Amino acid sequence: MLVQAYNLMAHAFLLFLLFSYIISTHIHACKQTERSSLLSFASTLSSSPLNWTSIDCCHWKGITCDKDGWVTRLLLPSNGLKGGISPFALANLTHLNLSHNSLYGSLETQFFLSLNQLEILDLSYNRLSGKLPLSLPSSSIQTIDLSSNHFFGAIPSSFFQQASNLTSFNVNNNTFTGYVPSSICLHYSPFLRLLDFSSNLFNGDLAPGLGKCSELQVFRASRNNLSGLLPEDIYNATKLEEIALPFNSLHGAISDKIVNLTNLAILDLSFNHFGGELPLNLGKLSKFKFVTFDFNNFEGALSPSLMNCTNLVELHLGNNNLEGDISMLDFSRLSQLTKLDLRFNNFTGTVPVSLYSCRSLKAIGLSKNPLGGQIEAEILSLKSLSFLSIGFNRFTNLTGAMKIFMSFKSLHALLLSGSFVGEGVPSDDDMAAFHGYQNLRVLSLGSSDLNGQIPLWLSKLKNLEMLELSFNEITGPIPSWLGTLPRLFHINLSHNRISGEFPKKLCRLPRLLYEPVASQVDEYEFELHVFDVTAITPSQKFSFFSTMIDLSNNNISGYIPVEIGQLQLLRKLVLDSNNFSGVIPDQISNLKNLEILNLSMNHLSGRIPLSLVSLNFLNQFNVSCNNLEGPIPIGTQLQSFNASAFEGNPKLCGAPLPNKCEPNKDMDVDNKNNKDVENGLHQLPWFYIIAALGFIVGFWGVCGSLVINKTWRYEYFRFIDNLQERFYVMITVCINTMKGRLRG
């Protein structure tokens, strides 16, 4: 009986498990209509790794269903999807994420028709385009991310009518136009936490309304065409943690009401036209971490209260009109400060000693201020310093400063141009105990009227990539060892009194010879913007800086070496205002990446090489004021330059110059490549040397042996006699034969 009871219970339990499995399978099996909709979407893809083949779509990759078998989530980010996007008939879908793929198409109104339950929509980083529909269908929607696509047109004001629960709206990096819909908070979405309108084509003023977003934490609208003032009610959004509006045309002052934003950690207003004095009570914003006001018109003294922002990590105030004695400011409380940029202002005094208490500092920018004094050894307490820019000040004792900086282990950029005016370049004797700068990438000592020669100790900077010594009084030759520095690609020695010739070893710079493999491409970014002194072009990326050799405005003589054609990665070659002679090497045409070529104000002769027309990237070209002659080669490049690029060569003719070439000249000769001419002018006359050697070897190889060896001489003349007799007999036979034919 017990056994029978046990068997019955076992069968009942198995039936229960089977029934449960059947019920469970039935519950979770997806709906046929939704399966068809998903397959329809998959069919529009030209590249789909989805492998949606099983019967139950609830088990497909990226699909989640509820207990009734309705698809609630479609999550396929970064899956390599390529093709058009189509509407989804998924009435219960709450999460749709197709970001980081290659989908194209538009969000037509029917795309949202059945998505009434949608809460999360992420289509970022695709190739979608078109205008936005007039409105969103779902009142449940919370997050919309359409960033990094190709949407355009204005955002309809009615777009948010149904989005009463919207908390995040991101359309960064598209081409939207019209006004930023800042009134979104007034009527539709009071619970917004993030608004990102960056990198579009929005214009006009920022309309009031942001203050009504009582939950707003992040507001970004950088890189647009916004103008006008900051709306006053933005200071009512007291939960704001980030305001980022750089690269616009906003103006006016920052209101004292900014102290209401007690949660503010990031404030970026750079590259605008803001002005006036900075609020005195900025120090009350104790959560400040990143403050970026550079490239504006702020003026007045820097408020000492800012030194109370003990959480500051970065402080950028460069390129304004700020003033005052910064040595009076106490930086000692800013223990977390990593970057300080006060460049291009009117600060006075000396480098604050308290700054050396900020042991986390990685970058200091103090250039272009009338600061004075000497660099103190206490700066070495900044063990992490990698970027130091103190040029265009009134510092003294360059040699002493260079000896101090030598001890920095992590220094990558040392920008001293415009300071230490009139002093000497630290000599080899001064740097006898040289052992530092092993990680230095950039050394800038230009615009300081420094005297002396280029010192040998620079040859030990094996990681140096950019050398700036222009606008000084440097004399002597260009050292050949410059061509041995393995990473050097940017050389500026212009506006000095350098003499001698262009060293051929400079044409072997490893960094300019071959394209680096992908693994060797330098993606390094400087801690702060590096400023080009002439253009004041800011950049942090190392790849921004062109490969360049600039030797202009010196006393360099001799020929331009033909080996220059080896530097295939060179983009700028500037040799104007020197004493170069000879012809323009035809090998320059090997520099296929060349963008700037300036050979003006020299003593070059001959013709412009025809091959230069193959330099397709040239955007600056100048050979004026030389002794060039003949027709200007006809090509798409050279004729596009102004006539001034060729003037000062009386024997030069053809477009774009007004003087025409004589039509009866042999154009093939006129357009002859300079290679043969250059071989005659630049090199030894090898043809004649080889011919002479051949004659000497041939003559003395035969005659000399006959003179020296008596036996050979007898045999030689016996051979000549036999040859003469055979030749006589052959001619006699031929004549007699012809006579016999004539008689016959």
Side-chain angles (χ1 to χ4, degrees):
M1 292 292 293
L2 289 173
V3 173
Q4 291 181 346
Y6 176 79
N7 289 335
L8 287 173
M9 290 176 62
H11 283 89
F13 181 71
L14 289 173
L15 289 172
F16 173 77
L17 289 178
L18 179 62
F19 179 76
S20 299
Y21 173 78
I22 294 172
I23 294 296
S24 174
T25 304
H26 176 72
I27 288 175
H28 291 288
C30 72
K31 307 299 180 183
Q32 185 60 35
T33 55
E34 300 200 329
R35 185 178 188 277
S36 299
S37 177
L38 291 171
L39 289 176
S40 176
F41 163 68
S43 68
T44 65
L45 302 177
S46 58
S47 175
S48 172
L50 296 178
N51 194 26
W52 286 350
T53 56
S54 62
I55 298 298
D56 188 359
C57 67
C58 290
H59 292 89
W60 288 353
K61 178 181 180 181
I63 304 298
T64 303
C65 297
D66 63 12
K67 63 180 181 179
D68 297 321
W70 298 105
V71 176
T72 58
R73 298 191 178 197
L74 174 54
L75 309 177
L76 294 170
S78 303
N79 269 270
L81 307 182
K82 297 180 180 179
I85 192 170
S86 58
F88 295 97
L90 305 172
N92 291 274
L93 193 68
T94 60
H95 292 66
L96 177 58
N97 187 343
L98 301 175
S99 63
H100 293 85
N101 285 294
S102 298
L103 301 174
Y104 60 85
S106 62
L107 297 186
E108 301 172 352
T109 303
Q110 58 262 35
F111 180 84
F112 292 103
L113 277 180
S114 64
L115 303 181
N116 299 321
Q117 305 298 319
L118 199 61
E119 298 176 5
I120 308 294
L121 174 64
D122 189 350
L123 301 176
S124 60
Y125 292 91
N126 278 286
R127 292 184 289 144
L128 302 171
S129 59
K131 296 183 177 181
L132 294 185
L134 291 177
S135 65
L136 289 166
S138 172
S139 60
S140 302
I141 195 131
Q142 299 173 14
T143 299
I144 298 175
D145 191 345
L146 304 177
S147 60
S148 296
N149 279 286
H150 304 296
F151 293 111
F152 57 83
I155 297 178
S157 58
S158 58
F159 182 75
F160 304 100
Q161 278 184 347
Q162 305 296 323
S164 57
N165 291 300
L166 189 64
T167 60
S168 177
F169 183 68
N170 186 355
V171 291
N172 171 37
N173 195 25
N174 283 280
T175 53
F176 286 111
T177 55
Y179 291 98
V180 168
S182 49
S183 59
I184 182 175
C185 304
L186 285 173
H187 309 293
Y188 309 124
S189 306
F191 304 116
L192 273 165
R193 294 191 181 92
L194 181 145
L195 282 173
D196 194 342
F197 301 104
S198 303
S199 300
N200 280 281
L201 300 175
F202 292 112
N203 53 53
D205 296 355
L206 282 172
L210 293 174
K212 293 294 184 180
C213 285
S214 57
E215 303 296 320
L216 190 62
Q217 297 173 356
V218 177
F219 177 62
R220 302 176 185 139
S222 62
R223 298 182 184 274
N224 282 285
N225 300 315
L226 303 179
S227 56
L229 306 172
L230 277 180
E232 192 75 11
D233 71 335
I234 196 173
Y235 304 113
N236 296 331
T238 56
K239 290 190 178 181
L240 270 171
E241 298 175 5
E242 177 182 349
I243 300 176
L245 301 171
F247 294 95
N248 282 290
S249 297
L250 299 166
H251 63 268
I254 299 176
S255 172
D256 290 333
K257 294 180 180 179
I258 196 171
V259 297
N260 296 338
L261 306 181
T262 55
N263 292 294
L264 201 60
I266 300 173
L267 180 57
D268 189 350
L269 304 179
S270 59
F271 291 90
N272 277 285
H273 305 300
F274 288 108
E277 296 188 358
L278 295 175
L280 291 175
N281 295 321
L282 279 178
K284 290 185 177 181
L285 301 177
S286 59
K287 294 185 179 180
F288 257 162
K289 288 187 177 181
F290 301 92
V291 177
T292 309
F293 291 165
D294 45 359
F295 288 90
N296 278 287
N297 300 311
F298 291 115
E299 57 189 27
L302 190 60
S303 172
S305 73
L306 197 58
M307 302 297 109
N308 296 327
C309 299
T310 56
N311 291 304
L312 263 179
V313 176
E314 297 184 15
L315 178 60
H316 302 265
L317 301 173
N319 283 78
N320 283 285
N321 298 308
L322 298 170
E323 58 188 15
D325 187 346
I326 62 168
S327 60
M328 304 302 293
L329 296 174
D330 184 6
F331 289 86
S332 61
R333 299 183 62 196
L334 306 183
S335 60
Q336 299 185 50
L337 192 65
T338 63
K339 299 180 184 180
L340 175 66
D341 190 357
L342 303 180
R343 291 175 293 181
F344 289 80
N345 279 288
N346 299 308
F347 291 116
T348 57
T350 59
V351 179
V353 176
S354 61
L355 192 61
Y356 305 145
S357 301
C358 305
R359 302 301 170 85
S360 299
L361 268 173
K362 295 180 180 179
I364 298 176
L366 297 175
S367 292
K368 206 69 175 179
N369 285 287
L371 302 177
Q374 297 189 23
I375 302 301
E376 304 293 338
E378 286 82 358
I379 196 173
L380 294 177
S381 62
L382 306 178
K383 303 294 185 182
S384 300
L385 195 66
S386 66
F387 184 103
L388 181 60
S389 174
I390 58 172
F392 296 96
N393 281 286
R394 299 171 182 171
F395 296 118
T396 57
N397 192 6
L398 173 60
T399 298
M402 293 297 290
K403 288 182 177 180
I404 292 172
F405 299 148
M406 192 191 307
S407 298
F408 281 120
K409 303 298 183 184
S410 57
L411 196 61
H412 288 160
L414 182 57
L415 310 178
L416 308 179
S417 290
S419 290
F420 309 98
V421 175
E423 299 187 20
V425 177
S427 67
D428 294 317
D429 291 336
D430 294 328
M431 307 291 281
F434 181 85
H435 61 275
Y437 299 116
Q438 296 308 305
N439 292 302
L440 195 66
R441 291 169 172 258
V442 180
L443 177 61
S444 178
L445 285 168
S447 303
S448 298
D449 293 332
L450 301 178
N451 55 70
Q453 297 190 7
I454 300 174
L456 181 62
W457 61 267
L458 289 178
S459 65
K460 299 179 182 179
L461 307 185
K462 300 304 181 183
N463 285 304
L464 192 66
E465 297 176 278
M466 298 172 61
L467 177 62
E468 167 66 57
L469 294 174
S470 64
F471 290 91
N472 284 300
E473 297 292 328
I474 295 173
T475 56
I478 300 172
S480 294
W481 51 255
L482 268 183
T484 66
L485 292 178
R487 303 185 66 172
L488 190 64
F489 70 85
H490 184 104
I491 303 172
N492 192 347
L493 305 178
S494 65
H495 293 85
N496 278 285
R497 294 192 288 126
I498 296 171
S499 56
E501 297 187 348
F502 190 119
K504 292 182 180 179
K505 281 190 177 180
L506 201 58
C507 301
R508 301 177 190 170
L509 281 165
R511 189 71 179 271
L512 299 181
L513 293 180
Y514 310 107
E515 287 282 358
V517 296
S519 60
Q520 296 176 336
V521 175
D522 199 342
E523 297 296 336
Y524 176 79
E525 288 193 15
F526 292 107
E527 300 289 347
L528 293 178
H529 295 299
V530 177
F531 294 94
D532 181 314
V533 174
T534 55
I536 312 183
T537 304
S539 178
Q540 281 181 253
K541 291 190 175 181
F542 208 80
S543 57
F544 171 85
F545 299 96
S546 290
T547 54
M548 179 180 81
I549 295 178
D550 189 346
L551 307 179
S552 62
N553 288 273
N554 279 288
N555 300 316
I556 304 170
S557 57
Y559 302 129
I560 300 173
V562 296
E563 290 83 356
I564 196 76
Q566 297 173 163
L567 303 178
Q568 298 183 38
L569 303 185
L570 195 64
R571 293 187 180 182
K572 298 181 181 180
L573 179 61
V574 186
L575 304 178
D576 65 279
S577 304
N578 278 288
N579 295 311
F580 285 107
S581 57
V583 301
I584 299 174
D586 182 70
Q587 286 81 355
I588 287 181
S589 62
N590 294 334
L591 309 180
K592 301 302 183 182
N593 294 292
L594 205 61
E595 299 171 4
I596 296 176
L597 176 61
N598 192 338
L599 305 176
S600 64
M601 303 289 288
N602 279 289
H603 306 295
L604 300 173
S605 57
R607 294 177 172 82
I608 299 175
L610 177 63
S611 59
L612 292 190
V613 300
S614 65
L615 298 177
N616 297 321
F617 294 104
L618 273 183
N619 54 56
Q620 292 183 38
F621 177 79
N622 197 335
V623 292
S624 63
C625 300
N626 280 287
N627 300 313
L628 301 173
E629 60 184 52
I632 297 172
I634 297 175
T636 56
Q637 285 295 103
L638 300 187
Q639 269 65 45
S640 66
F641 296 107
N642 195 284
S644 61
F646 303 92
E647 291 174 348
N649 295 283
K651 296 182 181 180
L652 207 58
C653 61
L657 290 174
N659 49 317
K660 306 298 181 184
C661 298
E662 295 182 26
N664 59 343
K665 281 190 176 182
D666 184 352
M667 296 306 292
D668 291 333
V669 175
D670 288 338
N671 285 325
K672 185 179 181 183
N673 195 296
N674 275 347
K675 188 178 292 183
D676 295 335
V677 178
E678 148 191 314
N679 286 338
L681 293 175
H682 283 195
Q683 312 295 336
L684 291 172
W686 295 109
F687 173 79
Y688 301 106
I689 292 174
I690 292 170
L693 287 173
F695 172 76
I696 292 170
V697 172
F699 178 81
W700 285 106
V702 176
C703 297
S705 61
L706 297 179
V707 171
I708 295 170
N709 194 311
K710 184 178 180 180
T711 304
W712 288 8
R713 185 163 63 248
Y714 286 152
E715 291 297 327
Y716 174 75
F717 285 115
R718 182 183 298 172
F719 170 75
I720 294 297
D721 289 340
N722 291 334
L723 188 65
Q724 183 178 0
E725 290 176 0
R726 290 179 183 179
F727 188 67
Y728 174 77
V729 170
M730 183 179 66
I731 292 176
T732 302
V733 170
C734 288
I735 291 173
N736 291 333
T737 302
M738 291 182 68
K739 285 181 178 179
R741 288 177 179 176
L742 290 172
R743 287 173 183 171

